[in-house]
Amino acid sequence: MRRAQLITTYGVGSLIAVGSESFMVAGLDRWPELSPYDQTIHERRLEKELGVQCFRLPPASDSDKYGDVPVVRFPEVQSCPGCSRLAKARFFGATRSPAKCKECDRELVPSRFVVCCAAGHIDDFPYFRWLHKGADSSGGDSRTHDLKLKATGRSASLGDIEISCACGVRPVTLEGALGKGALRGISSCTGRRPWLGDVPTEECEELPRAMQRGASGVWFSDVRSALSIPPWSEGVQKLVERHWKSLRKARDLRERLEELELTNHRMYSVEEIIQAVERRRQDEAGLSDGSEPALKLEEYGALTRTTEEKPGKQDFVCVPWQEDTVSTEHGIDQVMRVKRLREVRVLQGFTRLGAPSADTPSRRAPLYTADNRPDWLPAIEVIGEGVFLRLDNARLTTWESRQAVRDRVAPINEAYRKRFARFGLAPDREITPRLVMIHTLAHSIITEWSLDSGYPAASLRERLYVSDEMSGFLIYTATSDSAGSLGGIVAQVESGKLAASIRTAIERISWCSADPLCVESDASGTDNLNRAACHSCVLLPETSCEEFNALLDRALLTGTPDRSDLGFFQQAP
């Protein structure tokens, strides 16, 4: 697996199919110690928020001395294609990989099914209880309860997968086993966390649900990200970071710099280094707000200011672009070319059955045991480029104050409130017309630029800055592979065709092949958090959207056939 996949797709607690076997990525407290092959990542603002000393790229060492990312065998239940026996691997006499049946000398097949709960627990499918209608499985591995699994081969449906037992109970199929309430009265959640090793099981009252082990709902990454912005993106801060342990408590900085041979640095003067150290000390002593809104507000401030390119390595270059036609026609009062940016993405946990949402903190599964918390988290960094657009706040305020616009968004805000209410929580924000409109505009521009810039849509990503104080969005490259920073995004501005591309994006989104059903929809999407939005017009690959394709309504851009005045771009400048 690529390092980036170990953060977004195959992180701790996820299932990976390797050949004919299946494994689960083990917890962080079982990962090898840092080696010369490993690389640490620093992003000061995220480190403070998540309470760690650094971030670490997933290890990728070919050395037996340092090891690689550890895994555990899961599911434990296997079946033999020769004798059809169904049991845990150890009962077949399997001692090494690949696991084989001792009697048939055939490679074992991992169970196709697992059970998960909303609290993050996972276990093998309860075949014994399913067959015996909820009876206790004690003794289920004895010869009197020798389970067998056969597939008739007539079709791939669950009704053609049959379980039988040597005790003589009538065989049953797995028909209906994947339903939401299928295990009610059959099995309760066992509270298992196999990725953490032999830790005690937790008490859990959640109803487990059976799923295919390769289903996307078995594991969702909960990723936290931030952009590197001044002063932490400057090269002098990177220099200080490398020597921070020595500089942190030094009383005489000049003397310590001489000891470290930094007084004659070719890029930075002694005064610049001392100033950077003092700034770092002040930051550590402060009690700054590390919440996501505060981080976004800091980034918004950096994106609206000019940061010229300087000698030496820096991770953030942001310069303005003046184009009057964009401002007058589309209500955009600032365009910034972000020629270089760095984003750090950190895996802080994961969820099962549902993507991270309102209740994520309460059901986030841990990456490590409570007694062995590391001072780091796995992360990757993405170096790319982007374009930041800020809308005219006065025009935006006038538009969103209209009663018809507020009524259009009210059902989405109510659905958002109900999502939180299901978990006994208060909404973390109000869904406003400006949020839905700016979010939809970002989607439309990503779709248009993916056609013009040479990037696939999945390689572009949005970052929204929307509140009473903010009204902008950043579109940037979001991949660390060959589809990285090629200059195609900034070129959308520097070519002088920005106004034309925005105009085309709005025209394209004004019509959908699913109309009139799409534009007349009262509710759509997960938990009814969208209105006029579908895969034919607005929705993007989920790697591109920070709201998981929710809170979208293209009618707020162009209006509806009977209410064109709803659209932000239909009103007079």
Side-chain angles (χ1 to χ4, degrees):
M1 302 300 166
R2 290 179 297 164
R3 283 175 157 180
Q5 289 180 303
L6 288 167
I7 302 298
T8 59
T9 312
Y10 298 111
V12 172
S14 66
L15 294 175
I16 301 178
V18 181
S20 60
E21 301 182 285
S22 177
F23 300 96
M24 177 179 287
V25 179
L28 298 184
D29 44 356
R30 303 177 66 182
W31 285 29
E33 297 294 330
L34 282 170
S35 74
Y37 298 96
D38 291 328
Q39 180 180 347
T40 57
I41 300 173
H42 292 281
E43 180 11 71
R44 182 61 191 152
R45 298 184 305 138
L46 264 186
E47 290 169 356
K48 290 182 63 177
E49 179 191 356
L50 299 178
V52 295
Q53 296 297 319
C54 67
F55 303 116
R56 174 185 179 186
L57 273 174
S61 170
D62 293 329
S63 170
D64 293 335
K65 177 181 178 181
Y66 296 106
D68 212 320
V69 176
V71 297
V72 295
R73 187 184 298 280
F74 192 87
E76 296 178 357
V77 173
Q78 314 269 315
S79 62
C80 175
C83 59
S84 300
R85 188 183 178 194
L86 183 69
K88 293 186 177 181
R90 66 177 182 272
F91 292 104
F92 288 96
T95 58
R96 61 178 60 189
S97 184
K100 289 186 176 182
C101 177
K102 191 174 183 180
E103 297 178 2
C104 304
D105 196 32
R106 298 279 298 273
E107 287 191 13
L108 301 179
V109 179
S111 170
R112 284 175 51 190
F113 308 101
V114 296
V115 290
C116 310
C117 82
H121 303 125
I122 189 170
D123 204 350
D124 289 285
F125 183 85
Y127 290 99
F128 184 92
R129 286 179 172 270
W130 181 261
L131 175 61
H132 294 82
K133 295 180 172 52
D136 189 359
S137 60
S138 59
D141 293 317
S142 68
R143 302 307 299 181
T144 58
H145 290 293
D146 193 0
L147 298 183
K148 291 192 174 182
L149 182 145
K150 293 182 179 180
T152 62
R154 292 189 298 267
S155 70
S157 69
L158 297 178
D160 287 328
I161 301 177
E162 184 181 271
I163 310 171
S164 60
C165 182
C167 70
V169 66
R170 183 178 179 180
V172 300
T173 69
L174 290 177
E175 184 72 32
L178 302 187
K180 283 188 177 181
L183 297 180
R184 192 181 304 275
I186 300 293
S187 178
S188 57
C189 180
T190 60
R192 282 199 66 199
R193 296 172 292 174
W195 68 95
L196 297 181
D198 298 326
V199 297
T201 58
E202 293 184 322
E203 293 187 6
C204 182
E205 298 180 356
E206 295 282 349
L207 178 67
R209 181 177 178 181
M211 304 189 76
Q212 295 197 59
R213 59 181 168 89
S216 60
V218 172
W219 191 86
F220 292 94
S221 62
D222 185 11
V223 176
R224 187 76 177 86
S225 69
L227 300 181
S228 294
I229 60 174
W232 312 114
S233 61
E234 297 172 355
V236 65
Q237 284 292 343
K238 296 181 180 296
L239 177 65
V240 170
E241 184 67 57
R242 289 196 296 269
H243 301 281
W244 182 240
K245 289 184 178 179
S246 298
L247 296 172
R248 185 176 185 178
K249 296 183 179 180
R251 294 184 178 181
D252 190 332
L253 281 177
R254 292 182 181 274
E255 181 179 342
R256 184 56 55 86
L257 291 176
E258 289 179 0
E259 295 174 359
L260 297 173
E261 299 182 353
L262 295 178
T263 52
N264 295 317
H265 196 275
R266 62 186 181 88
M267 298 299 301
Y268 311 109
S269 65
V270 174
E271 286 70 23
E272 288 177 314
I273 300 175
I274 291 177
Q275 184 179 12
V277 173
E278 294 295 344
R279 180 177 292 173
R280 176 70 181 268
R281 287 177 173 178
Q282 292 173 6
D283 180 71
E284 285 201 344
L287 299 174
S288 61
D289 185 1
S291 63
E292 183 170 4
L295 292 178
K296 283 285 189 76
L297 191 59
E298 290 178 359
E299 292 177 8
Y300 184 76
L303 288 166
T304 54
R305 295 191 301 267
T306 299
T307 303
E308 297 284 355
E309 191 165 4
K310 302 176 182 178
K313 184 178 180 181
Q314 62 185 113
D315 293 325
F316 189 80
V317 178
C318 183
V319 294
W321 176 261
Q322 300 297 332
E323 189 173 344
D324 295 337
T325 56
V326 177
S327 165
T328 57
E329 184 178 354
H330 299 108
I332 296 174
D333 68 353
Q334 187 175 34
V335 178
M336 302 293 287
R337 296 169 294 164
V338 187
K339 293 186 173 182
R340 184 176 178 86
L341 62 82
R342 171 181 178 258
E343 181 190 24
V344 176
R345 299 180 191 168
V346 182
L347 180 65
Q348 61 176 343
F350 63 90
T351 60
R352 302 197 192 275
L353 299 185
S357 61
D359 62 322
T360 294
S362 63
R363 62 187 179 91
R364 181 187 297 138
L367 303 179
Y368 44 80
T369 57
D371 298 333
N372 295 291
R373 180 181 179 181
D375 61 356
W376 56 270
L377 287 173
I380 58 170
E381 60 180 352
V382 177
I383 305 297
E385 50 152 354
V387 172
F388 174 77
L389 303 175
R390 185 181 69 182
L391 276 68
D392 182 357
N393 193 64
R395 178 174 170 179
L396 193 60
T397 302
T398 301
W399 169 79
E400 68 181 350
S401 64
R402 299 175 59 184
Q403 186 61 44
V405 173
R406 294 200 300 269
D407 291 343
R408 177 78 186 182
V409 178
I412 299 179
N413 186 53
E414 179 63 17
Y416 191 77
R417 186 192 63 79
K418 289 181 178 179
R419 169 190 269 190
F420 278 79
R422 288 201 304 269
F423 305 103
L425 302 172
D428 60 346
R429 57 181 168 172
E430 179 185 1
I431 306 305
T432 61
R434 78 164 58 191
L435 171 60
V436 178
M437 189 275 291
I438 291 177
H439 187 201
T440 310
L441 176 61
H443 275 228
S444 66
I445 294 178
I446 287 176
T447 301
E448 181 65 24
W449 286 1
S450 69
L451 301 174
D452 295 340
S453 66
Y455 290 110
S459 295
L460 301 180
R461 187 175 173 88
E462 67 180 7
R463 196 163 180 86
L464 304 177
Y465 300 92
V466 183
S467 67
D468 292 339
E469 300 86 11
M470 303 184 292
S471 57
F473 61 95
L474 172 70
I475 297 176
Y476 62 104
T477 53
T479 178
S480 56
D481 59 14
S482 58
S485 179
L486 302 176
I489 295 300
V490 171
Q492 297 299 308
V493 175
E494 296 178 343
S495 65
K497 298 179 180 180
L498 177 61
S501 66
I502 295 177
R503 186 184 310 112
T504 304
I506 295 170
E507 291 174 354
R508 190 187 303 276
I509 209 173
S510 65
W511 183 86
C512 172
S513 60
D515 281 341
L517 294 178
C518 178
V519 75
E520 293 178 355
S521 174
D522 291 330
S524 64
T526 305
D527 294 336
N528 295 327
L529 292 176
N530 291 335
R531 293 203 67 172
C534 71
H535 286 284
S536 298
C537 55
V538 174
L539 303 188
L540 292 173
E542 289 202 355
T543 55
S544 302
C545 178
E546 66 176 33
E547 296 288 352
F548 298 97
N549 274 329
L551 311 180
L552 296 165
D553 182 11
R554 62 189 177 90
L556 294 182
L557 272 67
T558 61
T560 62
D562 56 338
R563 291 300 301 270
S564 61
D565 56 335
L566 286 174
F568 177 79
F569 296 102
Q570 296 298 321
Q571 62 178 349

